[in-house]
Amino acid sequence: MKQQNRLILIDGSGYIFRAYYALPPMIRKDGTPVNAVFGFTNMLVKLIEDYSQEKLVVIFDAARDNFRNKIYPAYKANRGETPEDLIPQFELIKNCVKAFNIPQLELEGYEADDIIATYTNLAQKNHVSSLIISSDKDLMQLVTDNVKMLDPMKNKHIGVKEVINKFGVRPDKVAQIQALTGDRVDNIPGAPGIGPITAKELIQSFGDIESLIKNVKNIKQDRRRKIIEDSKEDIRISLELVKLEKKISLPLSIDDIIPYSEVESNSENIKEFLIGQGFKTILQRLENNSFIVKNNSFTKQHNNNEVKYITISNINDLEKILNNIVNIGFCAIDTETDSLNIDKAKLVGISLSYNEKEAYYIPINHKDVLSKVLFSNQIPLNKVIEKLSPLCSNPAVLKIGQNIKYDIRILDKYGVKFESIADTMLMSYALDNGVTRHGMDDLAFVHFNHTTIKFKDIVGAGKNQITFDYVNIKDATKYAAEDAFITLKLFNLFQKRLGKEKSSYIYEKIDKPLIAVLSLMEKIG
């Protein structure tokens, strides 16, 4: 049997809200809010890039009331009103999907999750693999060896193993767990006082809800037994609410959905939509070799060169990199420290990148958490400074930073002086002031649909938080080298735009010269 193209099921409604809350307010020229539209369009382009050979379909929720409200009228009754500035964006997002000529579907009386569940059910019967693009935990009950999930915001793949790690049971038992725990957001009652751990223990012991209720007298703990006895009807109703409907009559069959590479997408429709929303960055992304126009359709121009993050732990490798940078004439640079307080901060490591294929991290002061002793596979601080200082002061080599003022001040403490600099944060301010936030995480997502490694994911939070010098070198390399790599990509993107826009004067003549002035003012106090 010939293997069919995979079915890519995009949870459109779920992503709309995530994009809306992830991005700052963005206003079109006519005053229409478009931040959710921008985030959604960015995601859609990324999915087309990654899955152009697959069958794509976008699924939306219909009106809020559906068959679950007949089972339990209070279902989702405590949800707040849709934000006023999000309401006009729903239709624009559907227009976006239409412009890219991707099938979209919503059915009265059902949620997007039910349509997705029905598609995965039909796909498995027809030996077609599915990928659900969503972070919705409710959809995890659908995961099998042939049905996977992808969280597009975190770029995290979810299979059977990940579901078990989250719920403690296999995907086909997830609904049983959810029926016990309930859901405050969706107003699903569940069993009051039964949390995820207890629910897992009960389902592991009794198998499912009906067996649990039938054998409630066998629960050893008095409190648990009483909760289940008192809540058995709510638990049964909750199970009906969390289970997904898999047998909806669909107006669009899997056979009718063709791989996107075979779709006759009109490039003019796409351009018209993007220009109409003011999405210059996405249009440039399409035009800068992410897509090429071919037969009046957009086709992915594949690039198999993934970025490599490399740890530099000996002086010879460092010298080779610095020599390459001098020959090329530019590099992105970023420092890692043990504190955000510049006066107290000590240098922990430095990252560099000079092409979009690789980035490097030079660990200097990383220590073992238990022994507090420096790891041996690091170049001594004085040697790094000795080699790096001539590069930073070389006016023929452009040093690019994201908020480079911080790096200038940190390295100044070690006698390193900077000549010839660029700052991607200031470039972003000059180009897109008021359009987006200008931190690296936001810029990476807005311009590249890339979710960066978060600082808290590396150092932890609360009482378990550590300083960066106690992060192991492997994890530190991924985090720090990514910063340099993204900084370089942003510079390459912004530099092209500044050459075409009036903002160049503001950046070159006003903002950039102030970096040295402000650095000195802050140093002197």
Side-chain angles (χ1 to χ4, degrees), residues 204-249:
Q204 286 177 340
S205 298
F206 294 93
D208 57 37
I209 294 299
E210 282 307 314
S211 294
L212 172 65
I213 293 173
K214 183 178 179 180
N215 297 286
V216 67
K217 292 182 179 179
N218 294 332
I219 300 175
K220 296 178 180 179
Q221 298 86 348
D222 292 341
R223 179 177 174 274
R224 289 186 188 178
R225 184 169 60 252
K226 187 174 188 318
I227 289 173
I228 301 302
E229 285 177 337
D230 293 346
S231 308
K232 59 185 179 182
E233 291 310 313
D234 278 346
I235 296 170
R236 285 186 171 120
I237 287 172
S238 297
L239 183 60
E240 291 303 306
L241 296 176
V242 298
K243 283 196 303 187
L244 300 180
E245 177 57 63
K246 298 181 179 180
K247 296 181 179 180
I248 303 171
S249 177

Side-chain angles (χ1 to χ4, degrees), residues 336-348 406 409-410 413-414:
E336 301 299 339
T337 62
D338 61 1
S339 172
L340 292 178
N341 185 322
I342 294 178
D343 294 326
K344 296 180 180 179
K346 295 179 182 177
L347 189 64
V348 175
Y406 179 87
R409 287 205 57 205
I410 289 295
K413 296 168 66 173
Y414 299 88

Side-chain angles (χ1 to χ4, degrees), residues 150-217:
L150 170 69
D151 182 340
M153 298 284 280
K154 297 180 180 178
N155 197 30
K156 179 183 177 183
H157 289 266
I158 301 167
V160 174
K161 179 182 176 182
E162 287 74 21
V163 175
I164 294 173
N165 288 340
K166 180 175 178 62
F167 288 97
V169 296
R170 291 187 62 81
D172 60 344
K173 297 286 187 180
V174 166
Q176 308 290 326
I177 299 289
Q178 292 177 309
L180 284 171
T181 59
D183 190 322
R184 289 184 180 179
V185 175
D186 288 344
N187 205 30
I188 296 172
I194 300 295
I197 295 175
T198 304
K200 179 184 71 173
E201 291 173 357
L202 290 171
I203 295 303
Q204 286 177 340
S205 298
F206 294 93
D208 57 37
I209 294 299
E210 282 307 314
S211 294
L212 172 65
I213 293 173
K214 183 178 179 180
N215 297 286
V216 67
K217 292 182 179 179

Side-chain angles (χ1 to χ4, degrees), residues 103-340:
Q104 55 183 301
L105 188 63
E106 62 180 83
L107 291 175
E108 197 66 37
Y110 297 100
E111 296 182 64
D113 291 2
D114 300 306
I115 301 173
I116 291 171
T118 301
Y119 268 124
T120 60
N121 185 40
L122 291 172
Q124 290 191 90
K125 289 179 179 179
N126 288 282
H127 308 287
V128 177
S129 296
S130 306
L131 178 67
I132 303 168
I133 309 298
S134 177
S135 61
D136 188 345
K137 66 182 186 301
D138 296 341
L139 290 166
M140 292 184 185
Q141 61 185 272
L142 302 175
V143 171
T144 67
D145 291 338
N146 293 315
V147 181
K148 303 291 196 308
M149 287 180 64
L150 170 69
D151 182 340
M153 298 284 280
K154 297 180 180 178
N155 197 30
K156 179 183 177 183
H157 289 266
I158 301 167
V160 174
K161 179 182 176 182
E162 287 74 21
V163 175
I164 294 173
N165 288 340
K166 180 175 178 62
F167 288 97
V169 296
R170 291 187 62 81
D172 60 344
K173 297 286 187 180
V174 166
Q176 308 290 326
I177 299 289
Q178 292 177 309
L180 284 171
T181 59
D183 190 322
R184 289 184 180 179
V185 175
D186 288 344
N187 205 30
I188 296 172
I194 300 295
I197 295 175
T198 304
K200 179 184 71 173
E201 291 173 357
L202 290 171
I203 295 303
Q204 286 177 340
S205 298
F206 294 93
D208 57 37
I209 294 299
E210 282 307 314
S211 294
L212 172 65
I213 293 173
K214 183 178 179 180
N215 297 286
V216 67
K217 292 182 179 179
N218 294 332
I219 300 175
K220 296 178 180 179
Q221 298 86 348
D222 292 341
R223 179 177 174 274
R224 289 186 188 178
R225 184 169 60 252
K226 187 174 188 318
I227 289 173
I228 301 302
E229 285 177 337
D230 293 346
S231 308
K232 59 185 179 182
E233 291 310 313
D234 278 346
I235 296 170
R236 285 186 171 120
I237 287 172
S238 297
L239 183 60
E240 291 303 306
L241 296 176
V242 298
K243 283 196 303 187
L244 300 180
E245 177 57 63
K246 298 181 179 180
K247 296 181 179 180
I248 303 171
S249 177
L250 299 173
L252 181 67
S253 73
I254 294 175
D255 290 337
D256 290 336
I257 304 170
I258 63 175
Y260 191 76
S261 58
E262 299 173 21
V263 173
E264 293 185 6
S265 297
N266 190 316
S267 59
E268 290 306 315
N269 289 344
I270 296 173
K271 289 180 180 179
E272 183 180 348
F273 173 79
L274 296 176
I275 292 170
Q277 310 314 311
F279 295 164
K280 294 180 182 178
T281 55
I282 298 178
L283 185 57
Q284 287 178 338
R285 177 176 166 188
L286 293 174
E287 294 176 341
N288 290 341
N289 296 325
S290 289
F291 287 85
I292 54 174
V293 178
K294 183 178 179 181
N295 297 329
N296 204 34
S297 66
F298 282 111
T299 306
K300 171 101 185 275
Q301 190 171 38
H302 290 278
N303 183 358
N304 294 320
N305 297 322
E306 293 187 2
V307 62
K308 297 178 181 178
Y309 298 142
I310 302 167
T311 306
I312 302 302
S313 55
N314 71 73
I315 200 71
N316 290 333
D317 288 342
L318 176 59
E319 287 177 342
K320 288 178 184 177
I321 291 166
L322 296 179
N323 286 335
N324 288 342
I325 291 171
V326 170
N327 291 332
I328 289 173
F330 62 86
C331 73
I333 184 168
D334 185 62
T335 56
E336 301 299 339
T337 62
D338 61 1
S339 172
L340 292 178

